[in-house]
Amino acid sequence: MLKLTQSQKLLQKLSPQQIQFIKLLQVPTANLEEKIKEELEVNPALDVGAAPQEDDPYHLSDQYDQDGEPVSQESSGEDGQTEDISDYLMDESDNMSDYHVREHGDDDDDSREVPIREESTFHEYLLSQVGLLDLTETEQQVAEQVIGSIDDDGYLRRDVMSIVDDLAFNRNIYVTEADVKRILKLIQEFDPAGVGASDLQECLLLQLDKMTGTNGAAKVAKVILTDYFEEFTRKHYDRIRQHLSLDNEAFKEAIQVILKLTPRPGIAFSNGSKDNGYIIPDFFIHNNNGVLELTLNSRNAPELRVSEEYKDMLKTYEDGSLKDKKQKEAVMFIKQKIDSAKWFIDAIRQRQHTLLYTMKAIMDYQREYFLSGNESALRPMILKDIADKIGMDISTVSRVANSKYVQTEYGTFLLKYFFSEAITTDSGEEVSTYEVKNLIQDFVANEDKHSPLSDEKLMEMLSEKGFQVARRTVAKYREQLHIPVARLRKLA
């Protein structure tokens, strides 16, 4: 019997309307127009485009005041906050990795109509290989979800259970962790070799798996990476060679095989990725002489209202003196469609408000950064900080931050970029992990490429700057910065 996760159990308790709202909250602006078109196709009582009547309370305007409230709309509650439906699902374990996408935009307001490019042909290449597998429809959807979770370097850094939950929530597909892992194993056979790995060791081993059939040095290299990976990263070559009883020539051949592997299988696609697609910002932040102005991109959210034709039809049926069975069924059908249209309009309005309310809290929290563009001004910030500030659940903040972009004067960023853990310096001051990462980048940029800095040396240099960071933490930050280990940075 299929065992459901906590999130899947909670999902089953929600009404279809609650689930639809949560989905709308997570959808980025770039995909909102498609969702609205889908609703327009299935509900004829929902109308778009025509000017509404002044007394129509179900017209959705895309105009907002400085507090993020729709103009001429009633507040959702006494305190102006919306009902937080999404607290039924997910928690702080949602994927909030530190990666970010940055492009340089134009300050001209007119340029906002031109989206910034960002679409990965790498993922398209992986998806094209799914068609070569003999998969059921459900298995294909699982494969698509897994591929969508692979980053541009080719790594799957998300937890498998998070993918299981996403499938349940986004696609209403209930699978087990074992099901996802089985599909992942198939994807790890795709080109480029090493794709779908969770860390560097697995990535290199996946590449070697395709070489071990005919290459003796590759087989030795696989043993080294499997059983002596830690020693290999520390360059304890003599110890490894003695344990394996290898002569110098055989050991050197195995090391050369490893050095020819790529630590980033998706790198060949990265340049094309940045040039072939589009980012459509969900928010715009403008610095007006020291006053930050936040606006929501509503260009993909057309004006919505209840169809005048359906309201007239309902009035005609209700005013009729004779009501047979068919007429009563017609009245019921029209009422259901109108109620559904009203709910959808309210859900879109609530989505816009929640997005603005959450983004404003992020903007206020990171005010110094948005004023200066100086990355060192970023404060440590986690989901809970914003959730406590706005009085909503952590899952709501997570869903707002997921796949959303903000365009600033200093570039366009994923909202996830502004979330980071805190590190305490020797003086007791709490700083963002970005400051430590910037130092690591600077150290590596200025290192002697003939004798690159090891993680241990980077740890010592950070300590001299007042940052007490463990070597494993340095290694984690280095990987997040896509900086190879020292041996792979060394020039011959």
Side-chain angles (χ1 to χ4, degrees):
M1 183 176 179
L2 181 63
K3 185 177 180 180
L4 300 180
T5 66
Q6 183 67 18
S7 295
Q8 291 172 340
K9 292 177 181 178
L10 291 171
L11 181 63
Q12 293 184 330
K13 296 179 181 180
L14 298 180
S15 68
Q17 289 82 5
Q18 290 172 325
I19 294 174
Q20 188 176 14
F21 170 73
I22 299 172
K23 289 182 178 180
L24 284 173
L25 186 62
Q26 185 166 314
V27 170
T29 298
N31 303 112
L32 182 60
E33 185 177 21
E34 181 181 348
K35 292 292 183 182
I36 292 176
K37 284 181 178 179
E38 291 176 1
E39 189 67 20
L40 287 168
E41 289 175 359
V42 299
N43 189 353
L46 186 65
D47 209 350
V48 62
Q53 300 294 325
E54 291 183 0
D55 61 348
D56 186 353
Y58 294 101
H59 165 251
L60 176 63
S61 169
D62 63 356
Q63 301 299 316
Y64 294 84
D65 63 22
Q66 62 182 0
D67 295 323
E69 293 288 351
V71 174
S72 301
Q73 301 292 346
E74 295 182 1
S75 174
S76 305
E78 292 180 0
D79 58 357
Q81 295 186 20
T82 57
E83 178 188 2
D84 188 15
I85 300 174
S86 58
D87 59 4
Y88 290 95
L89 287 180
M90 301 304 180
D91 53 29
E92 200 167 358
S93 63
D94 278 6
N95 180 34
M96 291 298 296
S97 58
D98 290 333
Y99 73 90
H100 70 278
V101 176
R102 181 170 184 168
E103 299 285 344
H104 294 290
D106 194 339
D107 290 339
D108 189 344
D109 287 343
D110 293 338
S111 69
R112 293 177 181 175
E113 297 183 9
V114 182
I116 303 166
R117 306 195 70 175
E118 191 264 0
E119 182 180 57
S120 178
T121 56
F122 173 48
H123 291 86
E124 293 175 357
Y125 178 62
L126 294 177
L127 287 171
S128 69
Q129 298 178 68
V130 173
L132 303 177
L133 301 176
D134 184 19
L135 300 179
T136 65
E137 183 178 351
T138 297
E139 289 172 334
Q140 182 165 340
Q141 290 179 302
V142 172
E144 291 171 356
Q145 189 74 31
V146 171
I147 288 174
S149 300
I150 293 175
D151 64 24
D152 289 340
D153 285 337
Y155 286 86
L156 180 66
R157 293 188 168 98
R158 293 203 65 198
D159 182 77
V160 170
M161 286 309 301
S162 296
I163 297 176
V164 171
D165 289 339
D166 285 347
L167 284 164
F169 175 75
N170 293 322
R171 300 182 182 232
N172 292 325
I173 295 175
Y174 296 90
V175 294
T176 65
E177 183 178 9
D179 294 330
V180 176
K181 286 183 176 179
R182 179 172 55 82
I183 298 299
L184 174 59
K185 286 293 183 184
L186 296 176
I187 293 172
Q188 289 176 341
E189 296 294 325
F190 288 1
D191 288 326
V195 69
S198 60
D199 54 36
L200 178 62
Q201 182 181 21
E202 184 181 16
C203 177
L204 299 178
L205 285 171
L206 286 172
Q207 295 175 58
L208 286 174
D209 282 341
K210 294 191 174 183
M211 303 169 56
T212 52
T214 57
N215 194 320
K219 291 181 179 179
V220 176
K222 186 174 181 180
V223 173
I224 293 173
L225 291 181
T226 301
D227 299 331
Y228 303 97
F229 184 74
E230 186 70 21
E231 290 85 348
F232 175 77
T233 59
R234 291 175 174 268
K235 290 189 176 181
H236 294 165
Y237 293 158
D238 289 339
R239 185 184 306 173
I240 298 173
R241 185 174 59 80
Q242 291 173 4
H243 276 244
L244 295 178
S245 301
L246 295 172
D247 58 46
N248 287 334
E249 188 63 28
F251 182 74
K252 185 181 294 185
E253 288 180 4
I255 294 299
Q256 286 301 314
V257 168
I258 296 175
L259 295 179
K260 290 179 182 179
L261 303 176
T262 173
R264 298 167 62 188
I267 190 66
F269 297 84
S270 61
N271 291 334
S273 163
K274 292 180 180 178
D275 293 337
N276 292 332
Y278 297 97
I279 293 175
I280 298 180
D282 300 86
F283 309 93
F284 302 101
I285 293 180
H286 177 64
N287 181 0
N288 185 7
N289 295 321
V291 178
L292 295 176
E293 296 177 348
L294 170 66
T295 55
L296 178 68
N297 185 355
S298 298
R299 297 182 187 275
N300 288 334
E303 293 186 343
L304 297 174
R305 64 186 182 87
V306 176
S307 167
E308 294 294 326
E309 181 181 356
Y310 260 67
K311 288 194 292 186
D312 290 342
M313 288 171 58
L314 180 60
K315 189 174 185 303
T316 299
Y317 274 113
E318 288 181 335
D319 290 345
S321 57
L322 297 176
K323 291 186 176 67
D324 57 21
K325 182 178 179 181
K326 288 186 177 181
Q327 285 178 318
K328 290 181 179 179
E329 290 176 351
V331 170
M332 183 63 68
F333 173 81
I334 294 171
K335 281 185 175 180
Q336 287 175 345
K337 291 299 181 183
I338 289 178
D339 288 343
S340 178
K342 289 177 179 178
W343 185 91
F344 187 78
I345 292 170
D346 285 339
I348 291 289
R349 182 187 299 122
Q350 186 180 9
R351 172 190 181 273
Q352 311 295 64
H353 171 78
T354 304
L355 291 180
L356 272 173
Y357 198 63
T358 306
M359 185 64 224
K360 186 177 185 302
I362 295 173
M363 181 182 72
D364 292 342
Y365 203 97
Q366 302 289 7
R367 184 175 185 275
E368 293 304 316
Y369 170 79
F370 288 115
L371 287 174
S372 66
N374 185 352
E375 199 172 56
S376 64
L378 282 172
R379 299 171 57 191
M381 181 178 76
I382 60 175
L383 294 172
K384 189 175 185 299
D385 293 328
I386 300 302
D388 291 345
K389 190 176 179 68
I390 64 178
M392 292 185 181
D393 192 80
I394 290 175
S395 64
T396 303
V397 179
S398 175
R399 295 198 177 283
V400 170
N402 184 45
S403 303
K404 307 291 193 310
Y405 290 86
V406 57
Q407 181 174 313
T408 74
E409 297 177 0
Y410 316 106
T412 299
F413 304 87
L414 271 169
L415 294 194
K416 293 179 180 181
Y417 169 65
F418 302 104
F419 290 84
S420 66
E421 298 288 344
I423 287 182
T424 304
T425 65
D426 288 344
S427 62
E429 178 187 6
E430 282 195 344
V431 298
S432 169
T433 54
Y434 286 118
E435 192 161 339
V436 176
K437 291 178 182 178
N438 283 338
L439 283 173
I440 293 175
Q441 280 186 314
D442 290 342
F443 293 155
V444 171
N446 297 310
E447 70 184 358
D448 178 2
K449 297 305 178 184
H450 295 285
S451 180
L453 301 170
S454 66
D455 290 342
E456 191 165 348
K457 182 60 179 177
L458 289 171
M459 178 188 70
E460 294 173 359
M461 296 172 71
L462 288 170
S463 179
E464 292 173 1
K465 295 286 186 179
F467 298 98
Q468 300 301 324
V469 183
R471 189 194 64 79
R472 289 184 178 276
T473 304
V474 172
K476 182 181 75 171
Y477 291 166
R478 175 180 51 72
E479 290 181 4
Q480 290 174 350
L481 292 167
H482 309 309
I483 298 174
V485 294
R487 59 184 171 74
L488 297 179
R489 304 197 306 271
K490 185 176 182 179
L491 296 178

